[in-house]
Amino acid sequence: MLRIALPNKGRLNQDCRELLNDAGLEVRASSERALTASLGGEFEAIFVQAQDIPEFVADGAADAGITGWDLVAESERALESRLDLEFGRCRLVVASREEGGIRSLSDLRGSPRVATVFPNLTRKFFATAGKTVQVVPVSGAVEVAPHLGIADLIVDLTSTGSTLKVNGLHEVMTVLQSSARLITAATPVDDLSRRGSLDELVQALESVIAARGKRYVMANVPRVRLDQVKKLLPGISGPTIIDLMNGGTMVAVHAVAPSASIYKTLTALKQLGGEGILVTRIERLMA
């Protein structure tokens, strides 16, 4: 049974559980504090700190893991991103005090101090930019460092930038775009059976992600309006057209449509003479 390392707490843990449950891999643990759990009887989950997951996967203690790409990049271990899970999105940014006068890297003078919990990524970023800095590793509360005189700049994670603004800071530049990823060791698994199981896991999660934000639309429409309906419902490779028994001038159309604009789609279908319109959620979608 393959072992999957998952974050043991926080929003990443909740999002992982939701995704796995939707994929048919229900997290079954003996208690809320259990360190291991069954994933639908197909895999074993181990719950560890998100920042330790790259090490667990790289060292072979886990066959795969789910954690933020920022933590994977910071670990500098030989790991592969098998799938972007499209949650936990954030950015690693360089930030400065509003009154600091630093709006771009070209404004840096001398060897400024940079506080961060991502020392490896920070050193690499400024080295690539040709800037000399003194990296000040901290374990938390990075935003306060410039106000205490500990550092001139910070490199920290943000999603909306609101926390930076509240603390009198502004973004200077983005270092890295991050999101939750399914990761494996960069070296391919020798065991064909285990490799196949990992591929099946990727496909299962991918099908759930592909279905999110989509709806399945079914409607009876006039045959003479099919060209317009096809433009309205392009689907994945075009809508499915089915003749109705005793349908006469009407045909059935089935297609996948974006949920964000479904209300406009339904209105347009009705204007084209659509009848018996039905919209359902999609649990999985495999192209």
Side-chain angles (χ1 to χ4, degrees):
M1 185 175 290
L2 267 65
R3 183 175 292 164
I4 315 298
L6 302 177
N8 61 352
K9 59 183 178 180
R11 186 54 191 261
L12 276 182
N13 173 277
Q14 297 173 21
D15 288 341
C16 284
R17 286 173 177 266
E18 181 181 344
L19 176 62
L20 290 165
N21 285 340
D22 288 346
L25 299 171
E26 182 183 359
V27 180
R28 302 169 186 164
S30 57
S31 72
E32 290 185 359
R33 296 186 178 183
L35 299 179
T36 63
S38 168
L39 296 180
E42 299 292 330
F43 304 96
E44 179 188 17
I46 57 172
F47 297 103
V48 296
Q49 293 188 51
Q51 60 266 34
D52 292 335
I53 291 176
E55 302 294 336
F56 275 67
V57 177
D59 292 339
D63 299 286
I66 295 177
T67 192
W69 186 244
D70 53 297
L71 298 174
V72 177
E74 174 64 19
S75 74
E76 297 187 330
R77 299 301 301 267
L79 296 164
E80 179 183 356
S81 172
R82 294 293 302 273
L83 186 62
D84 186 341
L85 304 180
E86 300 184 7
F87 58 77
R89 292 197 179 281
C90 57
R91 292 171 292 117
L92 186 64
V93 302
V94 179
S96 171
R97 289 184 301 166
E98 289 288 359
E99 67 274 18
I102 299 174
R103 298 293 168 180
S104 69
L105 294 186
S106 61
D107 295 326
L108 297 182
R109 298 290 182 270
S111 180
R113 293 164 298 171
V114 184
T116 185
V117 295
F118 297 92
N120 294 331
L121 285 172
T122 299
R123 291 190 186 96
K124 184 181 296 184
F125 173 77
F126 283 103
T128 301
K131 297 294 182 180
T132 301
V133 298
Q134 300 176 50
V135 176
V136 182
V138 295
S139 58
V142 180
E143 295 89 352
V144 76
H147 301 291
L148 297 179
I150 298 173
D152 306 293
L153 302 165
I154 69 168
V155 170
D156 199 18
L157 291 174
T158 184
S159 53
T160 64
S162 59
T163 302
L164 295 177
K165 291 179 181 178
V166 167
N167 287 282
L169 303 170
H170 70 272
E171 295 180 31
V172 176
M173 183 169 287
T174 297
V175 175
L176 179 77
Q177 298 278 356
S178 182
S179 60
R181 308 287 180 92
L182 175 69
I183 60 171
T184 60
T187 304
V189 178
D190 293 331
D191 188 322
L192 292 179
S193 176
R194 295 172 75 81
R195 189 188 306 177
S197 294
L198 283 174
D199 290 341
E200 290 174 3
L201 174 63
V202 172
Q203 291 175 1
L205 299 182
E206 193 172 35
S207 68
V208 172
I209 294 169
R212 290 179 172 177
K214 301 287 195 307
R215 294 292 184 267
Y216 194 70
V217 180
M218 294 167 277
N220 297 336
V221 301
R223 189 185 299 273
V224 294
R225 296 292 182 86
L226 275 180
D227 287 342
Q228 293 165 279
V229 171
K230 289 177 182 177
K231 293 178 181 179
L232 179 64
L233 293 171
I236 298 174
S237 55
T240 299
I241 310 299
I242 306 170
D243 283 326
L244 296 174
M245 183 177 294
N246 302 320
T249 61
M250 303 292 283
V251 294
V253 174
H254 294 205
V256 175
S259 58
S261 58
I262 195 66
Y263 71 99
K264 291 184 178 180
T265 301
L266 300 185
T267 300
L269 274 175
K270 196 67 178 176
Q271 291 173 348
L272 291 173
E275 300 175 351
I277 301 172
L278 177 65
V279 179
T280 65
R281 292 181 179 274
I282 304 173
E283 293 187 0
R284 297 194 187 192
L285 180 61
M286 299 184 72

